[in-house]
Amino acid sequence: MTTTVGVEGYTTDGHPLLRPLPEASRVILACGFSGAGFKFAPAIGDVVADLVIDGRTARDVGFLAPDRPLADWPPDALTPA
């Protein structure tokens, strides 16, 4: 038997975080993809490449901005009744 330990990264609205760092625009913050986030890897990789190379992307990724309003933690789904 093998066991592993890791950190799961979730936001309260369930969406990951994605944006260039203001002080280093070619460093891209892309995190919070825990759970089934691997399925977004091709699209996120394409967006990150756009941001690094061109400084912008044609895709609407504003809903992934880290400064968006987030719900309180823990979300209702994780709060015992």
Side-chain angles (χ1 to χ4, degrees):
M1 176 190 304
T2 302
T3 60
T4 60
V5 176
V7 175
E8 291 282 329
Y10 293 97
T11 59
T12 57
D13 66 0
H15 295 298
L17 307 174
L18 178 67
R19 73 173 281 169
L21 292 179
E23 61 276 4
S25 63
R26 293 180 68 171
V27 175
I28 310 301
L29 170 72
C31 58
F33 292 89
S34 289
F38 68 91
K39 66 185 171 188
F40 300 112
I44 296 301
D46 192 50
V47 169
V48 169
D50 288 346
L51 294 172
V52 169
I53 294 167
D54 301 327
R56 60 184 176 73
T57 183
R59 291 182 171 75
D60 179 12
V61 293
F63 70 101
L64 302 176
D67 55 356
R68 69 184 183 267
L70 293 173
D72 292 331
W73 186 261
D76 291 338
L78 297 179
T79 306

